[in-house]
Amino acid sequence: MNIYLKIMYIAIIISLLQSCQRLDLKPDSSISNDSYWSNEADAESALNGLYLRMRNSFTVHNWMYWFECRTGNISGGLQAGGIQSFINNELTANLNDANWQPFYTVISVANGIIHNVDRINFTQEARKKQIKAQAYFVRAWCYYNLVRLWGEVPIVTQFIDSDDHEQLFPLRSNEDEVFQLIKADIGLADQLSMGDNTAKSSKASRAAILMLKTDIYLWLAKVRGEQAEALSIADQAIDEVLANTTYKLSANYRDVFTQETNPEIIYSIYYDLLENSNQYGSLLAQSRSLVPLAYQNNPIPVGANHVMQFSDLFYTKYRNRTAGDSRAETISQDMQISGTNFRWTNKFMGEMNGNVRVFTSDTRIYRFAEAYLFKAEILAEQGQFTAALKYINMVVKRAYGTDQFYTSVSDKKELETILLDERIIEFAGECKSWFDMIRLGQVFQRVPSLAGREQDKQGNILYFPVHVNSFAVNPNIKQTPGFE
């Protein structure tokens, strides 16, 4: 069976198992060890299957609801959608998009690779290491998002191939235990990827692994209180990324979102017309049913629906903050037609397939601009304010057209305010802002619906509740305090 047929075979099995899935944490694919894991082609198809699951498990709404909509920077669009609970930070256990299942769907495939790939003899041992490194990267990415969204979460690390496996009904583990697993996984990914110069953005290259490692250890330093040691690890990781000559800042901000092979992109999730053409940018276009025909895709990009847009708050505080910001028109545009204001983004707008827009833009997870801003954040934490401003200025030069837009700051608080402002603008709509606000300690000050609510939900207001489906399929799961 050639590699393409095997990928199709995995997809069919996944689809069949999903249709009859009974257990929240049961893997999508229980491919028999005896019949499947026998040669390199099996491992390669399993790896491609992992990226397929990473793309297809998360709906278009998941990305925005999890990472953007709670910030106050997103509002409802011209057509009603299920966004308001997220905007108001009034989450309940029955919200469809407050379900952790998509992460465990991906984790189960990563576990299968990690558990089985060593059974295969490779002609080049380096390739086996690359495959394992990518599986550890994906699992670390999943658990890193899980623990930040839900706090205590179940840990499943074994390849579950039966209905009576010991890890099938796990308890929620405390955050310390989850972060220990995350550190172990990203550490193994780092170790296994040493010397790997692969730079394909749709796969986890060494640079992508180091970006995630920096991200994790910055969180550990600033949110989890691990301070100097974690900061040192983050600094070492990001310095290697910055030294990698494969990547560079694009001269034009819009090119980053219209060129899928732009050298600024370190890691992205791949979309394609023949595979999946429903990237979340469709939520930030306009509804085909609302835009007059003469303006559809000329200039207003239209999709099937429109349930969200950048808020007036975002315009006031960020998009329109600095006159002449060259990023503004890429981030969003407005057009008045017969008394109706149509607002859309020019990021992630895909391509035209005949007279229909298809949303095939790759989801940018890490790009080189963030490497500079990660370095600035580390330097700020170390008290090196002038050096931190240098890295911020490297990013904003293309926005403001000057080498030294920021010349001085008086203290760390002012520097972190600048840094957060620029991150929110630079990565607008890229699903960064929610965690940025938390990591930089300003979420309760920046988000109107969170003002004065630090103790709401027994102090768990920043987390999602556990979805009701999880209790039905796993009796060992308990609700987060404050959401009972």
Side-chain angles (χ1 to χ4, degrees):
M1 190 185 298
N2 67 40
I3 188 168
Y4 301 104
L5 289 176
K6 287 190 175 185
I7 294 170
M8 292 175 63
Y9 172 70
I10 291 174
I12 291 168
I13 287 182
I14 288 170
S15 177
L16 290 172
L17 285 170
Q18 280 186 318
S19 67
C20 61
Q21 189 172 5
R22 296 181 292 110
L23 302 171
D24 190 47
L25 301 176
K26 191 168 186 284
D28 282 328
S29 179
S30 297
I31 297 171
S32 165
N33 288 2
D34 292 334
S35 64
Y36 187 77
W37 295 94
S38 59
N39 55 53
E40 289 187 41
D42 293 339
E44 296 288 353
S45 60
L47 182 65
N48 285 318
L50 175 62
Y51 286 108
L52 179 149
R53 297 318 304 153
M54 194 174 184
R55 180 186 66 202
N56 294 349
S57 292
F58 305 115
T59 70
V60 291
H61 293 86
N62 289 156
W63 293 98
M64 295 299 289
Y65 286 169
W66 290 341
F67 307 127
E68 286 281 359
C69 289
R70 300 181 70 187
T71 63
N73 295 333
I74 300 293
S75 65
L78 297 177
Q79 287 184 327
I83 190 175
Q84 205 60 43
S85 296
F86 294 87
I87 293 173
N88 294 339
N89 280 283
E90 294 289 355
L91 305 182
T92 60
N94 60 359
L95 288 169
N96 288 336
D97 293 284
N99 192 340
W100 60 34
Q101 176 59 34
F103 288 106
Y104 287 101
T105 299
V106 178
I107 287 167
S108 67
V109 183
N111 287 345
I113 295 172
I114 291 166
H115 179 81
N116 289 297
V117 73
D118 282 333
R119 301 175 61 237
I120 297 172
N121 292 320
F122 281 71
T123 54
Q124 293 185 333
E125 188 67 18
R127 183 54 186 157
K128 178 190 286 188
K129 289 182 177 180
Q130 289 174 341
I131 290 172
K132 288 177 70 176
Q134 291 178 63
Y136 279 119
F137 166 89
V138 170
R139 192 169 76 177
W141 182 86
C142 286
Y143 276 112
Y144 182 47
N145 284 302
L146 277 165
V147 73
R148 292 185 297 169
L149 288 169
W150 280 274
E152 296 184 349
V153 294
I155 290 177
V156 182
T157 57
Q158 296 182 27
F159 180 63
I160 300 176
D161 53 4
S162 69
D163 284 347
D164 59 356
H165 194 282
E166 63 181 0
Q167 282 199 340
L168 200 53
F169 297 100
L171 298 166
R172 296 174 74 180
S173 295
N174 66 51
E175 293 185 45
D176 286 341
E177 293 173 313
V178 181
F179 272 107
Q180 286 303 315
L181 172 63
I182 293 166
K183 287 193 278 188
D185 278 359
I186 198 62
L188 286 166
D190 182 353
Q191 178 183 338
L192 289 164
S193 67
M194 285 183 179
D196 180 11
N197 295 317
T198 304
K200 189 173 182 179
S201 65
S202 61
K203 299 289 176 68
S205 64
R206 175 157 180 81
I209 289 167
L210 292 170
M211 287 293 288
L212 177 58
K213 187 172 186 179
T214 304
D215 199 342
I216 290 166
Y217 277 90
L218 260 175
W219 189 274
L220 290 167
K222 303 193 69 172
V223 180
R224 302 288 298 169
E226 296 194 16
Q227 300 300 323
E229 182 180 0
L231 203 66
S232 176
I233 293 171
D235 198 22
Q236 183 178 1
I238 205 61
D239 279 349
E240 184 176 337
V241 177
L242 291 170
N244 190 328
T245 57
T246 301
Y247 306 100
K248 63 180 181 180
L249 289 179
S250 175
N252 187 300
Y253 184 74
R254 183 169 292 203
D255 289 348
V256 179
F257 306 99
T258 59
Q259 300 172 358
E260 305 291 26
T261 58
N262 191 287
E264 185 168 326
I265 303 168
I266 295 175
Y267 178 61
S268 59
I269 294 179
Y270 176 74
Y271 284 78
D272 182 83
L273 177 62
L274 299 179
E275 296 181 20
N276 187 316
S277 57
N278 196 25
Q279 198 266 356
Y280 72 78
S282 63
L283 299 176
L284 292 166
Q286 275 288 346
S287 172
R288 186 181 299 110
S289 64
L290 297 179
V291 178
L293 184 62
Y295 299 96
Q296 290 186 13
N297 297 307
N298 184 34
I300 305 175
V302 297
N305 54 39
H306 173 64
V307 298
M308 59 185 71
Q309 63 188 21
F310 287 106
S311 66
D312 292 339
L313 171 71
F314 173 79
Y315 267 54
T316 300
K317 293 186 67 174
Y318 306 110
R319 183 191 183 276
N320 298 340
R321 187 194 66 162
T322 305
D325 188 338
S326 66
R327 296 169 293 191
E329 292 296 296
T330 299
I331 292 169
S332 65
Q333 282 186 258
D334 290 72
M335 187 173 186
Q336 290 278 342
I337 304 175
S338 301
T340 299
N341 185 64
F342 293 94
R343 180 173 293 174
W344 69 93
T345 184
N346 287 306
K347 293 184 176 184
F348 306 127
M349 287 297 101
E351 60 189 303
M352 296 300 295
N353 181 32
N355 63 353
V356 176
R357 182 173 296 277
V358 288
F359 292 88
T360 54
S361 299
D362 296 350
T363 298
R364 277 65 168 160
I365 304 296
Y366 289 119
R367 51 189 179 89
F368 202 55
E370 190 164 23
Y372 283 114
L373 295 180
F374 274 159
K375 181 65 176 181
E377 191 170 340
I378 292 166
L379 289 165
E381 199 68 18
Q382 295 170 337
Q384 301 183 54
F385 301 161
T386 301
L389 286 180
K390 181 187 75 171
Y391 282 97
I392 295 173
N393 281 329
M394 287 179 181
V395 175
V396 304
K397 177 181 178 180
R398 68 180 169 192
Y400 305 131
T402 179
D403 290 331
Q404 301 292 325
F405 185 80
Y406 295 106
T407 57
S408 64
V409 292
S410 58
D411 54 28
K412 180 184 173 186
K413 182 178 179 180
E414 182 186 356
L415 179 53
E416 290 193 328
T417 296
I418 290 170
L419 181 59
L420 183 52
D421 283 344
E422 290 297 348
R423 284 189 63 93
I424 290 171
I425 301 168
E426 177 70 23
F427 304 118
E430 295 179 56
C431 297
K432 300 282 183 181
S433 297
W434 175 249
F435 289 140
D436 286 349
M437 289 180 179
I438 296 173
R439 190 181 66 254
L440 286 157
Q442 299 184 37
V443 67
F444 290 103
Q445 292 73 47
R446 297 261 182 164
V447 182
S449 65
L450 287 176
R453 298 178 64 188
E454 288 86 345
Q455 300 309 313
D456 274 18
K457 304 295 183 183
Q458 298 184 35
N460 291 318
I461 186 64
L462 299 183
Y463 291 128
F464 278 5
V466 177
H467 193 269
V468 291
N469 287 355
S470 297
F471 307 117
V473 295
N474 183 355
N476 291 328
I477 297 296
K478 305 298 180 186
Q479 184 56 274
T480 302
F483 291 97
E484 297 93 340

